[in-house]
Amino acid sequence: MSREMPTPPDTVDAARRLAVLGLAAAGIGAARAAGTRRVVRALVESWPPYLYPGEGQAVRGLDAELLVAICQRAGYEVSWVRAPIERRKRRYEQLLSDQFDVIFSATPVPDKLGEVMYTQPYRREIMMVAAPVVHDSTLELVRDFNDVLKRRVRLLHVEADGLGKEFEASRQALADAGLLVRYATGRQGVEMLRAGRAALILGDALDLQEQARQLGFPLVRQAYGYSETPVSLMLSRKRLNEADLRRINQAITELEQRGVLAAIRSRYAVQAGAASGGSKGSRPMDFRPSR
């Protein structure tokens, strides 16, 4: 039976030193990894007052401010991804293909939970019906969507579902009567209203306010069709997991308790100047977020 030659002491010491150095290096690497802030990639496109490019690499808007506050509290860094305007359905496809990590203003859909995650609500989505300040006097007699149907008033509406219980209850009847005209973006909708494609418009209140201000085409809000719905952040499962979801939800909870998110939202509040239902004394909406 052969015997193994004894290993010289110097060789043993050298091996031990290398092993210790290797463990130390591994420990440093793990510590660095643990200390690295996770990155949440968010898409920025021109969607004022929610998202719009600022000077340089800055991103401004309600959703931008809310996301940055939430991610900072949760210990994440926001990385903005710039891309041209796309339809909402296309954005969802891009999220699933790992081009970015979050979609704003999402309503949880149980069927999608295998592909994405939803945070708890971070703000409310406000829908409204509006008319041009200068409009046909017959609109003063329209008090609800039943009147819209009876008087055959054409209505522009954003290309989306969940536009308020009041509208959704009448959507099919209005569509069957040929009174609904869809639009993809707030800018397009207000331009179509200005061009006379319809007498009324239904859509996101802040979006319509801002687009009307930019176009110099003031609107007056109607008394019907107003709704508020909680919305969430939709998160991709490609790079984020359930632990990330818990951290982000905890950050939202803490910031709500401290009033931080409420303070941000209040600076972008829907203006109440034209809250009356199209009466002769109502004033045009004027969106000017405070700074």
Side-chain angles (χ1 to χ4, degrees):
M1 187 170 74
S2 63
R3 295 178 58 190
E4 295 182 359
M5 295 295 292
T7 304
D10 290 346
T11 304
V12 173
D13 290 343
R16 285 174 178 169
R17 286 195 295 271
L18 288 173
V20 170
L21 289 173
L23 289 172
I28 292 171
R32 285 177 178 171
T36 301
R37 299 184 72 185
R38 294 288 299 275
V39 174
V40 172
R41 298 170 302 167
L43 194 67
V44 56
E45 49 191 337
S46 183
W47 185 33
Y50 294 103
L51 290 165
Y52 54 98
E55 296 181 2
Q57 296 299 312
V59 179
R60 300 177 62 187
L62 172 58
D63 275 348
E65 289 192 39
L66 291 172
L67 181 67
V68 169
I70 291 166
C71 285
Q72 286 181 344
R73 183 63 181 173
Y76 297 85
E77 179 182 342
V78 177
S79 174
W80 294 104
V81 178
R82 297 175 185 266
I85 295 174
E86 292 278 4
R87 292 180 182 273
R88 186 79 167 184
K89 183 178 180 181
R90 175 62 177 154
R91 288 298 185 222
Y92 182 71
E93 295 170 354
Q94 292 174 330
L95 181 80
L96 296 184
S97 64
D98 198 29
Q99 296 184 37
F100 47 89
D101 303 314
V102 59
I103 286 180
F104 299 96
S105 187
T107 300
V109 178
D111 292 347
K112 294 182 178 179
L113 289 176
E115 298 177 326
V116 298
M117 301 175 291
Y118 297 94
T119 69
Q120 65 191 52
Y122 72 104
R123 67 170 172 85
R124 301 182 74 82
E125 184 177 68
I126 300 174
M127 292 290 164
M128 71 173 183
V129 174
V133 166
V134 179
H135 55 261
D136 192 305
S137 60
T138 59
L139 287 184
E140 306 298 337
L141 303 175
V142 177
R143 297 299 176 184
D144 55 31
F145 289 112
N146 286 330
D147 285 343
V148 172
L149 181 61
K150 290 177 184 177
R151 296 179 178 278
R152 299 194 60 78
V153 178
R154 290 176 66 81
L155 172 70
L156 287 155
H157 72 89
V158 64
E159 195 173 42
D161 297 323
L163 303 183
K165 291 182 180 179
E166 190 179 352
F167 171 73
E168 295 301 339
S170 302
R171 183 198 283 257
Q172 192 58 54
L174 292 168
D176 291 343
L179 298 175
L180 296 184
V181 182
R182 295 182 297 177
Y183 64 88
T185 67
R187 172 58 65 98
Q188 181 189 48
V190 175
E191 288 178 339
M192 291 170 70
L193 184 69
R194 183 170 63 175
R197 293 285 304 278
L200 298 168
I201 187 168
L202 167 64
D204 184 285
L206 290 180
D207 188 13
L208 294 183
Q209 281 184 342
E210 175 63 8
Q211 299 303 332
R213 184 186 69 81
Q214 290 186 10
L215 292 170
F217 185 68
L219 304 177
V220 58
R221 201 184 91 197
Q222 306 301 286
Y224 54 93
Y226 186 89
S227 66
E228 295 189 30
T229 306
V231 290
S232 304
L233 298 172
M234 179 193 292
L235 305 178
S236 169
R237 289 184 180 272
K238 295 291 185 180
R239 295 177 65 252
L240 304 178
N241 55 38
E242 297 289 343
D244 296 311
L245 177 62
R246 288 192 293 271
R247 287 176 62 180
I248 291 173
N249 277 339
Q250 180 62 31
I252 293 174
T253 297
E254 293 174 358
L255 293 176
E256 290 288 14
Q257 292 173 344
R258 293 167 49 192
V260 175
L261 300 186
I264 295 173
R265 292 191 297 258
S266 68
R267 293 191 288 104
Y268 292 85
V270 175
Q271 302 302 299
S276 58
S279 65
K280 294 180 180 179
S282 60
R283 291 180 286 128
M285 293 176 292
D286 183 19
F287 171 73
R288 301 181 191 280
S290 59
R291 290 294 173 198

